[in-house]
Amino acid sequence: MEFQWSLTVLSYSISSAFSSQVPEKQQENATWLVTEFLLVGFSNLPDLRTTLFALFFLTYLVTLSGNVTIITVIHADRTLHAPMYRFLAALSLSETCYTLVTIPNMLARLWMENQAISISGCRAQMFFFLGLGCSHCFLLTLMGYDRYVAICHPLRYSVIMRPTVCLCLGALVFCSGFSVASVETSLIFSSRFCRSNRVEHFFCDIAPVLKLSCAESASKALAIFFLSILVVLISFLLILLSYAFIVAALLRIPSAAGRSKAFSTCAAHLTVVIVHFGCASIIYLRPESGGNPDQDRLVAVFYTVVTPLLNPVVYTLRNKEVRLALRRILARSHLFHEHVPRQILSFSATQLPKPENRLLP
């Protein structure tokens, strides 16, 4: 009897010890089962949700309509079928897709207060955001090279920048951008996430997501930092080199009017370059994001919402050819809407059967 009692006590103690370890093991495994992230976004500003939604929504509509207008004008007006404006249309298309990746999701979360995003959705958003961002850098570099050829080698411009070359360069720009994005995204999502599921941002950016990785992220952050240097810094240096040759060529032009006319084709591009690369340098040319998340979100709002708005505004206000083409298209549209109803009425009047004058018996 005593042996049976001791055996019972022993089995109870073993089972209790095993049961006390189960929750710890489950809790340990639970950290490896992060299936979705929570985008913090602007949840710390609940009183400003409606204001922010209205502001971002109106800005997005203006940006979208401006970029679509530029693409339509360049496609419709034959005088703008030059490499410079083809690249501008590609830039507007890139900006449109760039804003589609982040702003609609941000607006939906501001409206519905739903902060959850799956890991696969976060990965897709980061891939397209980085791919379009890198392509944007390469495309601005290509536009700087186009201006260099046009000003420094005007007689050979049509040969160097012929349509097949422009098409190949444009394809290379986007393939290179998305290749870099594929490498960076694979580095970030190669390990699981266990530290937390709260992303201190309103979209899946590199630094906030990399902080949540279970593995040591220092080597990944360093690799991504060097890739960012290759994309941002080298692109910017190539643009500076192009403009150094452009300035040297402009100084050889004797008349001030000639210099002003030649540089006017570069002013809009230079403005977009300074704003774009300035914001990219602040965010991505840091080995480690040690800044305040609120400050990072503020800068991110600028380069995801304000900078895309700057592109159509600058290129429509600063570029004389685009303004003239837009006026011609609006004038043709006005004349079409004015004359078509008259033509329809005159056509109907001529085609109506004339009444026959018959004498009644």
Side-chain angles (χ1 to χ4, degrees):
M1 186 70 177
E2 183 178 355
F3 173 75
Q4 185 177 4
W5 180 81
S6 61
L7 186 62
T8 304
V9 170
L10 181 62
S11 62
Y12 176 77
S13 61
I14 292 174
S15 62
S16 62
F18 179 77
S19 63
S20 65
Q21 291 177 358
V22 169
E24 183 179 357
K25 186 68 177 176
Q26 289 177 348
Q27 185 178 3
E28 182 183 352
N29 288 336
T31 60
W32 294 84
L33 298 177
V34 177
T35 58
E36 65 178 13
F37 293 128
L38 294 178
L39 296 174
V40 175
F42 304 99
S43 58
N44 58 338
L45 303 171
D47 298 333
L48 297 177
R49 282 182 179 273
T50 305
T51 304
L52 290 175
F53 177 85
L55 180 62
F56 293 155
F57 182 70
L58 291 175
T59 305
Y60 179 61
L61 286 182
V62 174
T63 302
L64 192 62
S65 59
N67 284 316
V68 170
T69 300
I70 288 178
I71 296 171
T72 305
V73 168
I74 292 174
H75 178 74
D77 196 288
R78 284 185 170 274
T79 61
L80 299 182
H81 289 184
M84 171 184 174
Y85 298 105
R86 294 291 191 186
F87 293 145
L88 176 56
L91 182 68
S92 297
L93 180 61
S94 174
E95 289 279 15
T96 303
C97 298
Y98 183 78
T99 54
L100 281 172
V101 172
T102 54
I103 298 181
N105 289 327
M106 178 181 64
L107 292 175
R109 287 181 173 84
L110 281 172
W111 183 260
M112 297 184 296
E113 300 184 7
N114 181 18
Q115 301 173 348
I117 184 173
S118 65
I119 291 181
S120 59
C122 183
R123 180 170 185 163
Q125 185 184 49
M126 183 181 293
F127 171 73
F128 285 106
F129 177 79
L130 293 177
L132 291 167
C134 294
S135 301
H136 201 151
C137 292
F138 296 145
L139 189 57
L140 289 173
T141 305
L142 181 57
M143 294 174 73
Y145 173 73
D146 172 76
R147 291 297 84 208
Y148 156 74
V149 176
I151 294 175
C152 298
H153 305 282
L155 299 179
R156 299 171 56 197
Y157 178 74
S158 59
V159 177
I160 297 175
M161 303 302 292
R162 56 188 182 272
T164 53
V165 174
C166 293
L167 184 62
C168 292
L169 289 175
L172 181 62
V173 160
F174 286 98
C175 288
S176 302
F178 280 97
S179 297
V180 173
S182 178
V183 172
E184 292 183 342
T185 308
S186 299
L187 281 174
I188 294 171
F189 288 88
S190 59
S191 60
R192 299 189 180 186
F193 302 92
C194 60
R195 298 182 182 179
S196 174
N197 67 339
R198 289 173 57 86
V199 178
E200 297 289 338
H201 218 301
F202 59 86
F203 69 96
C204 291
D205 205 359
I206 294 177
V209 175
L210 192 60
K211 288 180 180 178
L212 309 180
S213 177
C214 298
E216 181 61 35
S217 60
S219 58
K220 293 182 181 180
L222 191 60
I224 293 171
F225 171 67
F226 282 117
L227 275 176
S228 300
I229 287 180
L230 288 175
V231 174
V232 177
L233 196 57
I234 293 181
S235 299
F236 186 66
L237 290 177
L238 288 175
I239 293 173
L240 287 182
L241 183 63
S242 298
Y243 275 101
F245 285 110
I246 288 172
V247 170
L250 291 178
L251 292 177
R252 291 195 296 268
I253 299 177
S255 65
R259 289 195 297 267
S260 176
K261 183 179 179 180
F263 188 74
S264 64
T265 62
C266 306
H269 173 256
L270 196 57
T271 304
V272 174
V273 163
I274 292 173
V275 174
H276 177 79
F277 282 94
C279 293
S281 301
I282 292 173
I283 293 296
Y284 297 108
L285 293 189
R286 293 182 297 182
E288 186 177 355
S289 181
N292 190 349
D294 294 333
Q295 295 177 356
D296 289 344
R297 279 196 292 270
L298 181 62
V299 177
V301 166
F302 191 81
Y303 71 76
T304 56
V305 179
V306 179
T307 303
L309 173 65
L310 189 67
N311 176 37
V313 170
V314 168
Y315 274 105
T316 52
L317 293 180
R318 297 283 301 176
N319 194 290
K320 183 179 179 180
E321 286 76 12
V322 174
R323 293 199 310 269
L324 293 175
L326 182 59
R327 290 174 184 172
R328 284 195 295 268
I329 291 175
L330 292 176
R332 286 200 300 263
S333 176
H334 176 71
L335 290 174
F336 175 79
H337 289 295
E338 183 177 331
H339 288 288
V340 165
R342 296 180 182 177
Q343 293 177 359
I344 292 175
L345 288 176
S346 61
F347 176 79
S348 301
T350 55
Q351 295 297 321
L352 285 175
K354 295 182 179 180
E356 297 181 0
N357 297 325
R358 293 183 179 180
L359 297 176
L360 294 175

